[in-house]
């Protein structure tokens, strides 16, 4: 057999664009074709039942089992008409991604007759085998067996011949074993708290909801090359590989023409996403070669998160058909931009007002400032927790690297908003508020200018930026479930709004005028939240020093950042908002540590295999060739001549010897460190040991392997190189 790398390259170059059949005509002809939308419900569910269902859904009430029975009949009829044979409860375990348990709609009874299986009960509740999902020691704390239960606020949909039912996954004793449950709880807490605060400004507001617009970044790599890289296959990232001579210096990939093969993939991906009711809109190249982005129009946070998870699995499926693999890992290639998932987040009232957009009059502007400042307070008070909500073994490589969000959470506001806050801070109540007969008030600060709405003043180094009418949480990882970050943000802001209201109400009860109190408290907050505001360069060394001085969380070790979940202020906040109990927080951090350990353990093993089975044999083969050459040269030339002739060969031979020796020593030390880490008594200590001892040794080994890649004859190198992984499409 020849060199597997060349075999793979030959196959990759033979891959042509795959023909895609997307129907002609308008998107609206197939948008949400595979979703049991409210429109469709009208056809399949009796009016009375439907009214009850929607009323319960819209008001966040539990659906009655009797209703579920009637709804199930409607769903089944629709699904079977569309060719479905199976159904699955679709849920979001703490390991990330989604999980499914498929069942057929029909079974046969003893006589061989068909029995219909999909009842109200199977819509309502299922019992997947919970033992195979992590519960983070929950077994000791509470009942680990769990069930999945229908989340009627997210519509059921079809994937191929399977009906997918979005569900929560909870323990029998009620504790959440997934991301969806606390996300729903956090949204409820936030929306309630926000509505109460809106009451100061507009009594018409009956409901507030939280929006999420995600931007999913990803890499594509040819399937043949992927299959020739065991590290990509097993860990999702390259554990070694020297930088390509041409990388992203020119940034010519950004907004450049999309290659034909990729375009075919994207067309099909968009078509599949649109059919699933995901309103995808933008497609473009990203900064790095072979890196792309997909973003839909924002939706309600729970639905948007379901859609993001769904898109990730659709991507994988469509990519395979196009002989690509999609890399959702945050850092598949060292030295090349990583992938994130910007989470655009905002609050909107049932009256159509975006609470994070400047308003049309001073009153609305004060409402906007109120929400803005409360978000700042929440992010400041829980900056460590917010960081914990986005860290993972995979996102660790992206954070704090010089082309991604820094490992310190701060908020970018931009010049205009900063000026407004500065003015307000120094305004005297007397000059700032004039209450006229209609109780309208005028702020000392001028109306916030309209141009703010298309704010182009972007600071890409900020992990949490205000972008005109929303906040953009940019530190979230590309492979993450956005729910983890969103539920922490929702809960933190909910708590903050509740505290704000308590304070304001108390003073109003004591007879102070509402406007004056609002003004006073906001002013106080503006001063208090100054430490989280930072518009400068988040990558700079000065900022690290400054942030530490300000008392912001500067921890960079993932296992230690995870501690923030169980810090007293986090526990208090999650309890106060009813989003997560202490036991649930304990179990979540356990799962995070456990996952961290597993990922690093696999990486370290794969790294050992790669250097021993690929790198060293290639290096030795080349070294032997050089040694034979030296001997041959000696036989042919005189001693005088060979001295200078062999100099270069000698040097390379020595370098190979040096790097190979260092790799062997490194692998031995890494294996030893791993064994020691595995012997630690608990998951947290294991994670810390992996972080502190195994990870640095892996970096050392990589350095030597990459050095060998530069020296060894290209024809002998068996692992596809960066230039091939990044530029073949
Ligand atoms: P950029 O890359 O410049 O940040 P994109 O257009 O790629 O912008 O993505 C912006 C994302 O923000 C989209 O998902 C969009 O729907 C979302 N978005 C826009 N306005 C809001 C809003 N008010 N609340 C939440 N998300 C929003
Ligand atoms: Mg963005």
């Amino acid at each position: 057999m020849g060199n597997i790398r060349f075999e793979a390259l030959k196959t990759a170059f033979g891959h042509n664009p795959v023909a895609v059949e997307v129907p002609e005509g308008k998107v609206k002809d197939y948008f949400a074709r595979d979703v049991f939308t409210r429109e469709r419900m009208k056809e399949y569910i009796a009016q009375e039942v439907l009214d009850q269902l929607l009323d319960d859904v819209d008001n966040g009430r539990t659906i009655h089992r009797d209703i579920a029975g009637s709804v199930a009949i409607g769903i089944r009829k629709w699904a079977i008409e569309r060719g479905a044979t199976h159904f699955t409860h679709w849920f979001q375990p703490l390991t990330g991604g989604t999980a499914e348990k498929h069942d057929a709609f029909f079974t046969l009874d003893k006589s061989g007759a068909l029995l219909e299986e999909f009842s109200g009960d199977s819509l309502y509740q299922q019992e997947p085998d919970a033992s195979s999902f992590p519960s983070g020691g929950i077994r000791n704390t509470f009942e680990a067996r769990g069930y999945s239960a229908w989340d009627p606020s997210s519509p059921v949909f079809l994937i191929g011949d399977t009906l997918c039912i979005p569900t929560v996954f909870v323990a029998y004793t009620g504790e959440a074993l997934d991301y969806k449950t606390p996300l729903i709880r956090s949204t409820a807490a936030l929306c309630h708290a926000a509505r109460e605060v809106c009451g100061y400004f507009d009594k018409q507001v009956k409901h507030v909801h939280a929006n999420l617009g995600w931007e999913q970044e990803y890499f594509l790599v040819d399937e043949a090359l992927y299959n020739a890289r065991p590290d990509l296959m097993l860990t999702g990232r390259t554990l070694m590989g020297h930088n390509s001579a041409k990388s992203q210096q020119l940034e010519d990939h950004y907004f450049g023409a999309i290659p034909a093969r990729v375009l075919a993939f994207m067309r099909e991906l968009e078509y599949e996403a649109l059919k699933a009711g995901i309103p995808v809109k933008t497609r473009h190249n990203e900064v790095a070669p072979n890196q792309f982005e997909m973003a839909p129009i924002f939706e309600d946070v729970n639905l948007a998160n379901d859609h993001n998870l769904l898109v990730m699995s659709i991507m994988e499926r469509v990519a395979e058909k196009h002989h690509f693999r999609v890399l959702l890992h945050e850092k598949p290639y060292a030295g090349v931009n990583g992938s994130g998932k910007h989470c655009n987040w905002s609050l909107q009232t049932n009256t159509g007002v975006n609470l994070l957009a400047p308003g049309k009059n001073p009153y609305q502007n004060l409402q906007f400032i109120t929400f803005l400042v409360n978000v700042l307070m929440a992010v400041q008070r829980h900056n460590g927790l917010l960081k914990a909500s986005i860290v993972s073994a995979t996102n660790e490589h992206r954070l704090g690297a010089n082309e991604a969000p820094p490992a310190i959470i701060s908020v970018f506001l931009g010049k205009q908003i900063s000026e407004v806050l500065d003015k307000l801070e120094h305004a005297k109540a007397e000059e700032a508020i004039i209450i006229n007969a209609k109780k309208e008030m005028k702020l000392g600060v001028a109306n916030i200018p309209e141009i703010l709405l298309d704010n182009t003043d972007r600071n890409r180094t900020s992990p949490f930026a205000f972008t005109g009418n929303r906040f953009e949480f940019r530190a979230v990882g590309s492979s993450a479930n956005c729910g983890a970050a969103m539920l922490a943000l929702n809960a933190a802001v909910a708590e903050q709004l509740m505290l704000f209201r308590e304070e304001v109400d108390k003073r109003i009860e004591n007879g102070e005028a509402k406007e004056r109190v609002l003004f006073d408290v906001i002013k106080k907050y503006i001063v208090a939240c100054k430490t989280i505001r930072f518009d400068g360069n988040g990558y700079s060394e000065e900022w690290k020093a400054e942030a530490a001085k300000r008392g912001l969380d500067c921890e960079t070790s993932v296992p230690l950042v995870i501690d923030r979940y169980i810090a007293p202020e986090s526990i208090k906040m999650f309890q106060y908002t009813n989003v997560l109990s202490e036991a649930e927080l304990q179990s979540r951090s356990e799962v995070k540590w456990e996952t961290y350990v597993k990922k690093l353990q696999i990486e370290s093993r794969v790294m050992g295999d790669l250097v021993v089975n690929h790198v060293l044999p290639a290096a030795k083969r080349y070294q032997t060739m050089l040694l034979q050459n030296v001997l041959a040269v000696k036989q042919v030339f005189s001693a005088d001549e060979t001295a200078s002739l062999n100099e270069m060969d000698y040097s390379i031979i020595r370098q190979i010897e040096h790097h190979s020796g260092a790799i062997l020593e490194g692998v031995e030390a890494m294996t030893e460190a791993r064994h020691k880490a595995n012997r630690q008594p608990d998951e947290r200590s294991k994670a810390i040991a992996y972080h502190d001892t195994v990870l640095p040794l892996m970096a050392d080994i990589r350095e030597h392997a990459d050095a060998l890649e530069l020296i060894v004859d290209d024809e002998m190198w068996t692992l596809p190189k960066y230039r091939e992984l990044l530029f073949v499409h």
Side-chain angles (χ1 to χ4, degrees):
M1 202 173 110
N3 180 326
I4 51 169
R5 171 168 148 245
F6 288 100
E7 298 290 325
L9 277 168
K10 219 164 83 192
T11 314
F13 283 120
H15 285 148
N16 291 316
V18 172
V20 181
E21 279 171 41
V22 175
E24 296 292 323
K26 298 206 176 67
V27 169
K28 75 170 176 23
D29 297 339
Y30 54 84
F31 182 69
R33 207 182 72 189
D34 298 339
V35 185
F36 196 53
T37 57
R38 289 194 174 195
E39 271 310 298
R40 274 188 197 116
M41 287 182 187
K42 286 186 199 150
E43 271 174 61
Y44 291 86
I45 299 174
Q47 190 63 44
E48 224 175 295
V49 176
L50 184 60
D51 289 346
Q52 183 63 51
L53 175 74
L54 296 185
D55 193 49
D56 287 345
V57 167
D58 292 341
N59 292 296
R61 284 191 299 267
T62 314
I63 309 297
H64 201 275
R65 269 185 190 250
D66 299 345
I67 299 260
S70 316
V71 174
I73 294 169
I75 293 178
R76 187 182 59 206
K77 184 157 186 283
W78 169 73
I80 289 174
E81 278 175 19
R82 297 288 320 278
T85 51
H86 286 69
F87 69 94
T88 178
H89 272 201
W90 188 75
F91 59 100
Q92 306 170 15
L94 294 173
T95 31
T98 48
E100 295 161 18
K101 177 177 177 272
H102 292 243
D103 281 302
F105 278 128
F106 304 102
T107 56
L108 298 180
D109 71 6
K110 283 200 189 90
S111 64
L114 270 183
L115 280 181
E116 292 189 342
E117 274 264 289
F118 189 67
S119 60
D121 275 353
S122 31
L123 169 66
Y124 202 80
Q125 191 168 316
Q126 287 273 300
E127 194 175 339
D129 178 15
S131 59
S132 54
F133 295 100
S135 62
I138 250 172
R139 283 171 196 87
N140 309 327
T141 340
F142 39 79
E143 177 61 73
R145 273 184 316 141
Y147 61 90
S148 55
W150 182 34
D151 164 21
S153 65
S154 183
V156 300
F157 55 91
L158 289 167
I159 293 282
D161 59 9
T162 304
L163 170 73
C164 301
I165 303 160
T167 53
V168 294
F169 183 37
V170 289
Y172 270 106
T173 36
E175 287 80 4
L177 297 171
D178 67 349
Y179 283 113
K180 196 190 235 302
T181 309
L183 179 62
I184 292 174
R185 291 180 194 153
S186 74
T187 314
L190 174 60
C191 294
H192 181 78
R195 191 192 61 204
E196 301 280 292
V197 170
C198 283
Y200 295 133
F201 304 94
D202 183 358
K203 295 267 180 259
Q204 302 300 315
V205 175
K206 296 277 175 283
H207 191 79
V208 174
H209 60 255
N211 291 319
L212 165 62
W214 44 263
E215 301 165 56
Q216 175 75 52
E217 292 180 330
Y218 61 96
F219 280 86
L220 285 177
V221 62
D222 184 89
E223 151 198 280
L225 299 175
Y226 171 92
N227 289 335
R229 289 284 314 214
D231 47 356
L232 275 184
M233 287 178 74
L234 298 172
T235 74
R237 73 173 178 117
T238 54
L239 297 173
M240 56 190 65
H242 203 282
N243 269 339
S244 159
K246 179 184 177 206
S247 184
Q248 63 186 50
Q249 303 93 330
L250 301 175
E251 302 210 342
D252 49 0
H253 182 69
Y254 200 51
F255 293 118
I258 297 174
R261 243 184 100 194
V262 177
L263 204 55
F265 158 79
M266 282 181 170
R267 284 190 66 204
E268 182 153 5
L269 170 61
E270 278 171 18
Y271 176 54
E272 291 298 320
L274 288 164
K275 277 196 302 176
I278 307 169
V280 292
K281 195 179 60 145
T282 58
R283 78 172 100 159
H284 57 74
N285 293 344
E286 272 300 318
V287 181
N290 267 352
Q291 189 188 27
F292 307 94
E293 181 187 289
M294 175 178 227
I297 296 167
F298 66 87
E299 301 173 285
D300 166 79
V301 64
N302 178 30
L303 182 62
N305 192 39
D306 282 359
H307 280 167
N308 179 245
L309 288 158
L310 186 53
V311 150
M312 291 199 282
S313 61
I314 295 177
M315 267 181 177
E316 282 171 355
R317 180 162 46 89
V318 175
E320 277 183 36
K321 184 169 155 193
H322 290 253
H323 304 294
F324 280 124
R325 286 308 163 113
V326 58
L327 304 178
L328 292 169
H329 193 291
E330 283 77 3
K331 196 76 181 174
Y333 307 103
V336 174
N337 262 22
S339 301
K341 181 145 53 194
H342 294 179
C343 287
N344 294 270
W345 175 90
S346 67
L347 293 169
Q348 193 164 354
T349 66
N350 63 313
T351 53
V353 173
N354 176 351
L355 295 170
L356 292 176
K360 300 220 167 9
N361 56 51
Y363 219 78
Q364 279 185 6
N365 273 336
L366 186 64
Q367 176 172 271
F368 158 63
I369 295 288
T370 301
F371 278 92
L372 181 93
V373 169
N374 272 293
V375 173
L376 290 175
M377 285 293 284
V379 176
Q380 180 187 51
R381 296 179 47 238
H382 296 289
N383 70 89
L385 172 71
L386 287 171
K387 182 160 62 184
S389 77
I390 54 95
V391 295
S392 63
T394 53
N395 205 16
E396 180 169 32
H397 301 284
R398 174 173 165 263
L399 291 177
N402 254 9
E403 27 77 3
I408 299 162
I409 302 290
S410 64
V411 183
F412 169 86
L413 284 181
K415 200 160 155 269
Q416 290 167 317
I417 293 289
S418 298
E419 277 171 6
V420 171
L421 294 193
D422 291 344
K423 262 194 178 167
L424 260 177
E425 179 190 339
H426 297 108
K428 290 203 179 67
E430 293 71 33
E431 25 175 272
I433 305 177
I434 301 160
I435 302 172
N436 69 17
K438 280 196 216 139
K439 277 240 172 203
E440 277 232 335
M441 66 184 181
K442 191 166 154 223
L443 293 178
V445 287
N447 267 358
I448 299 161
E450 289 264 346
I451 36 170
L452 197 77
L453 283 172
D454 36 51
N455 185 351
T456 45
D457 186 9
R458 304 284 185 93
N459 177 337
R460 292 278 159 194
T461 71
S462 178
F464 200 99
F466 182 70
T467 49
N469 61 357
R470 61 190 187 265
F471 279 98
E472 191 168 331
F473 196 1
R474 301 206 183 106
V476 182
S478 50
S479 70
N481 180 324
C482 327
M486 291 296 101
L487 75 91
L489 178 62
N490 285 350
V493 175
E495 180 206 38
Q496 178 56 48
L497 290 170
M498 286 155 82
L499 295 173
F500 173 75
R501 184 154 172 269
E502 275 174 29
E503 183 169 353
V504 171
D505 279 358
K506 201 189 266 164
R507 286 178 56 175
I508 294 177
E509 275 163 29
N510 288 341
E512 288 185 71
K514 181 176 81 180
E515 284 76 10
R516 171 126 204 167
V517 176
L518 287 172
F519 181 76
D520 258 11
V521 177
I522 288 166
K523 228 173 110 161
K524 188 177 84 182
Y525 281 6
I526 291 174
V527 178
C529 71
K530 267 190 186 164
T531 53
I532 199 72
R533 281 165 56 189
F534 179 64
D535 279 10
N537 179 2
Y539 301 161
S540 66
E541 286 304 315
E542 298 85 75
W543 168 233
K544 284 182 198 158
E546 165 71 17
K549 243 195 272 164
R550 292 189 188 185
L552 295 177
D553 193 314
C554 297
E555 184 55 64
T556 57
S557 159
V558 168
L560 296 179
V561 173
I562 294 169
D563 283 344
R564 309 301 182 253
Y565 270 111
I566 42 174
E569 63 275 16
S570 305
I571 295 177
K572 200 170 141 210
M573 180 278 281
F574 278 123
Q575 277 174 348
Y576 186 57
T577 51
N578 268 325
V579 173
L580 287 165
S581 68
E582 187 169 353
E584 285 172 320
L585 288 165
Q586 290 285 1
S587 79
R588 253 150 231 269
S589 19
E590 284 293 312
V591 172
K592 286 223 163 202
W593 285 314
E594 203 179 308
T595 311
Y596 185 87
V597 168
K598 279 198 186 131
K599 289 234 159 112
L600 258 67
Q601 190 175 38
I602 293 170
E603 284 195 352
S604 155
R605 284 182 183 151
V606 173
M607 177 135 219
D609 290 352
L610 275 190
V611 286
V612 173
N613 301 326
H614 284 260
V615 176
L616 293 179
K620 286 290 158 194
R621 218 173 300 141
Y622 184 52
Q623 195 189 36
T624 307
M625 196 178 96
L626 292 175
L627 285 166
Q628 282 166 348
N629 179 256
V630 168
L631 289 178
V633 165
K634 272 194 177 158
Q635 284 172 359
V636 176
F637 294 95
S638 71
D640 272 2
E641 285 169 303
T642 52
S644 63
L645 270 174
N646 280 327
E647 217 164 280
M648 196 179 134
D649 283 349
Y650 282 147
S651 154
I652 297 181
I653 290 166
R654 280 199 197 92
Q655 284 180 51
I656 293 178
E657 202 49 38
H658 164 69
H659 293 303
S660 308
I663 287 178
L664 278 175
E665 273 174 36
V667 170
E668 206 171 299
M670 177 179 74
T671 312
E672 176 59 34
R674 203 167 67 218
H675 292 163
K676 219 167 141 189
N678 293 340
R679 286 197 300 270
Q680 296 299 311
D682 55 77
E683 294 302 324
R684 180 175 180 274
S685 321
K686 276 187 211 170
I688 292 172
Y690 266 95
H691 176 272
D692 294 352
T693 64
V694 179
L695 208 51
L697 286 166
M698 284 176 64
D700 285 349
I701 297 172
R702 175 183 186 138
E703 212 170 284
H704 293 288
D706 289 356
L708 285 175
E709 186 186 318
L710 272 193
I711 302 172
V712 172
D713 179 7
D714 186 61
E715 290 204 13
M716 291 182 177
W717 200 258
T718 55
L719 295 169
K721 296 184 170 181
Y722 267 27
R723 64 165 182 267
E724 294 149 0
L725 296 167
L726 285 166
F727 290 97
V728 176
H729 40 231

